[in-house]
Amino acid sequence: MRIAKTLLLSSFLFLGCFGTRQETDKQPVNKNYSRFFESNGEEMNYRSRENLFNVRFNSKDLEWEKERNIYYVNFSDIERYILSLPQDSSDALIYMLFSIDEGGLDAKRYDFERCMEKNIRERISTVYDLCRKRVPMPPALIDKMKSFLLDGKQSIDSRDCAPDLDMFIFDGEKYHYFNMPRPTCIADNIKKDPRIPEYIEFYNEMAAFIKQDFSACRWDNFGNREKMIRECGKFNWRWKQKYPDLVE
């Protein structure tokens, strides 16, 4: 996978009159802009997601390369989710990438993540029980996923928001991608496009399906909270302040 590169779009209006142009140059660029485009996956940082997934689970649980034809979906909301669907199955595996209280991290971030990874792996069976679900996916929704990936539908890019729904599939020869921001980030300039209702409907259906009840999926709910704080707090200065009696 290629490291993602954020697409930056800029649009400037130049007026012929010098005096008017001076006025215009002082005005901010209009950021409220969206567009349809052919996605090649460069705007999606799958490698960083693999690393994020690996800290909390095990990247070997998902085939991130070409070995298997699996769809991935990630909602980069306050909570993050990854959905994988083997090509010949209707049972989706949904993982919640639970947040870890990482506030105050500095140059010791790598040490903190490795320490947390070690402690999480010690409780991995509990982690999977709380943070992974196998859920039958409605056939109609699977068909829509395939349609958005394989039928040439364009992605949507918004200048104001990063992609919130990302998908890709390897068909045996090449990758196909689709991504779009949440509907509230779609700017007015394309809201009248006749494709928009179908896109918003699909987004909302995917959001409703992937956001299962993961209320118990928390790093401090795996049974070794104090051990995590004692061993890993030394790499997080905020934890030193928050848990002075536990941090080693």
Side-chain angles (χ1 to χ4, degrees):
M1 294 292 177
R2 300 289 185 188
I3 298 298
K5 296 180 181 177
T6 305
L7 275 176
L8 299 177
L9 303 174
S10 58
S11 176
F12 294 89
L13 179 63
F14 291 94
L15 301 180
C17 173
F18 176 75
T20 306
R21 185 174 63 213
Q22 281 184 319
E23 254 180 36
T24 303
D25 289 344
K26 296 178 182 178
Q27 296 176 0
V29 175
N30 177 20
K31 294 183 179 181
N32 187 25
Y33 176 81
S34 298
R35 69 181 182 108
F36 288 96
F37 73 106
E38 299 290 341
S39 175
N40 60 7
E42 289 187 0
E43 64 282 346
M44 307 175 197
N45 192 345
Y46 292 113
R47 184 59 61 189
S48 69
R49 292 175 192 175
E50 179 179 354
N51 293 337
L52 182 68
F53 185 89
N54 199 41
V55 170
R56 290 151 177 77
F57 301 98
N58 187 336
S59 62
K60 293 180 181 179
D61 289 348
L62 296 177
E63 297 290 346
W64 294 89
E65 302 296 339
K66 298 180 179 180
E67 286 79 3
R68 295 175 63 192
N69 300 343
I70 295 182
Y71 311 98
Y72 296 89
V73 181
N74 176 40
F75 280 88
S76 52
D77 204 340
I78 296 175
E79 291 115 5
R80 297 183 179 184
Y81 305 84
I82 287 182
L83 177 153
S84 67
L85 181 68
Q87 185 183 25
D88 298 323
S89 174
S90 61
D91 287 340
L93 272 177
I94 302 175
Y95 298 80
M96 177 181 174
L97 301 183
F98 53 91
S99 62
I100 300 174
D101 186 4
E102 298 177 343
L105 291 178
D106 49 25
K108 296 181 179 180
R109 181 184 185 92
Y110 177 83
D111 294 324
F112 177 79
E113 289 183 346
R114 298 288 75 76
C115 180
M116 290 299 291
E117 180 179 351
K118 172 181 175 292
N119 278 277
I120 289 169
R121 294 289 172 79
E122 290 177 357
R123 308 291 297 178
I124 196 65
S125 60
T126 301
V127 174
Y128 282 135
D129 287 343
L130 300 180
C131 304
R132 181 182 65 178
K133 295 181 183 293
R134 184 180 298 275
V135 186
M137 197 167 191
L141 189 53
I142 295 175
D143 289 342
K144 287 185 180 181
M145 290 179 70
K146 291 180 179 179
S147 175
F148 273 85
L149 282 164
L150 301 174
D151 290 353
K153 288 183 170 62
Q154 291 184 310
S155 296
I156 297 179
D157 170 61
S158 173
R159 180 177 292 163
D160 291 333
C161 302
D164 198 49
L165 166 59
D166 295 340
M167 303 190 299
F168 71 89
I169 182 177
F170 182 71
D171 66 5
E173 295 182 359
K174 66 177 182 178
Y175 285 100
H176 301 267
Y177 302 91
F178 174 80
N179 65 295
M180 66 175 286
R182 60 187 180 273
T184 54
C185 277
I186 296 176
D188 292 339
N189 68 290
I190 66 167
K191 281 185 177 178
K192 294 182 180 180
D193 189 286
R195 291 171 286 183
I196 290 297
E198 179 187 18
Y199 278 60
I200 292 178
E201 179 183 65
F202 174 63
Y203 178 99
N204 289 336
E205 288 182 17
M206 288 301 305
F209 177 75
I210 201 171
K211 295 182 179 181
Q212 302 284 328
D213 180 12
F214 287 102
S215 56
C217 177
R218 304 191 312 270
W219 70 271
D220 57 353
N221 202 28
F222 299 149
N224 58 346
R225 172 183 177 275
E226 291 189 4
K227 182 173 180 291
M228 288 182 179
I229 295 172
R230 284 199 310 271
E231 296 183 2
C232 305
K234 59 188 175 184
F235 304 118
N236 186 329
W237 65 264
R238 186 164 293 177
W239 277 20
K240 293 178 182 179
Q241 296 178 349
K242 190 174 181 180
Y243 310 110
D245 297 332
L246 291 176
V247 175
E248 292 183 349

